Amino acid sequence: MKMKFYFILAVAMLLPMTILGQGKDLFSGLENENYKRAIEILDQGGDKDEALGYLQKEVAEHPDNGFAYSMMAHVYKTCNRVGEAMTCVNKAISLWKKNRILLATAYWQRASLNLKLGNEKAALRDWRKAIKTDPTIDCVCTDHAECPYKREEE
């Protein structure tokens, strides 16, 4: 639950800033029907497998939608399907190389997955990458500082 709150908060804070600096085309995937339907299902506490189905359709039709990959990673993580989550977040990272805010967020997301896998060194590397990419994202810095305590939560 805490991860979901931070993820949604980060995206909500980052969207306006990133749109101003990067252009609207980066966010075109947010308006796609499959993506929107998946988000609706998740917001209503619906079936995660149904939401994943919509997200999978989204990336099949729009393979450049990093938001869909990032959201799939989040859903997979909540279903304890960490390997699939890692594959999706790595794809989001590759798509967001030109946007420092989204890239930092994806590194932050991958750090959380690495911690869940028990790979603290990789988690710390990803948090450092996120901080280096964009040091203004508070939740990244906080998670990095709280790493020793997060092991117990994951």
Side-chain angles (χ1 to χ4, degrees), residues 19-139:
I19 288 172
L20 293 174
Q22 298 294 324
K24 189 175 179 180
D25 60 319
L26 182 62
F27 294 93
S28 60
L30 295 174
E31 296 301 318
N32 296 340
E33 287 303 313
N34 287 320
Y35 182 81
K36 288 188 337 187
R37 183 65 186 125
I39 298 303
E40 288 171 11
I41 291 167
L42 294 170
D43 283 347
Q44 296 170 359
D47 182 43
K48 291 177 183 177
D49 287 328
E50 182 182 3
L52 281 170
Y54 281 104
L55 291 167
Q56 289 164 347
K57 286 180 192 175
E58 175 62 23
V59 298
E61 293 175 16
H62 304 282
D64 58 341
N65 187 344
F67 289 100
Y69 284 106
S70 181
M71 186 54 66
M72 283 173 59
H74 174 70
V75 175
Y76 281 134
K77 181 186 176 193
T78 64
C79 297
N80 290 317
R81 295 165 65 179
V82 182
E84 291 161 293
M86 190 66 78
T87 299
C88 290
V89 79
N90 284 334
K91 182 64 176 177
I93 286 170
S94 72
L95 292 170
W96 286 343
K97 287 287 185 190
K98 294 183 180 181
N99 184 299
R100 66 181 177 80
I101 296 171
L102 295 176
L103 181 59
T105 304
Y107 282 136
W108 168 65
Q109 189 177 19
R110 189 170 72 183
S112 175
L113 290 170
N114 276 315
L115 195 60
K116 190 168 183 79
L117 289 170
N119 192 344
E120 187 174 321
K121 286 182 181 182
L124 287 169
R125 258 191 320 270
D126 280 332
W127 275 316
R128 287 182 187 125
K129 285 180 184 179
I131 291 168
K132 184 178 178 182
T133 303
D134 189 338
T136 65
I137 303 174
D138 292 337
C139 58

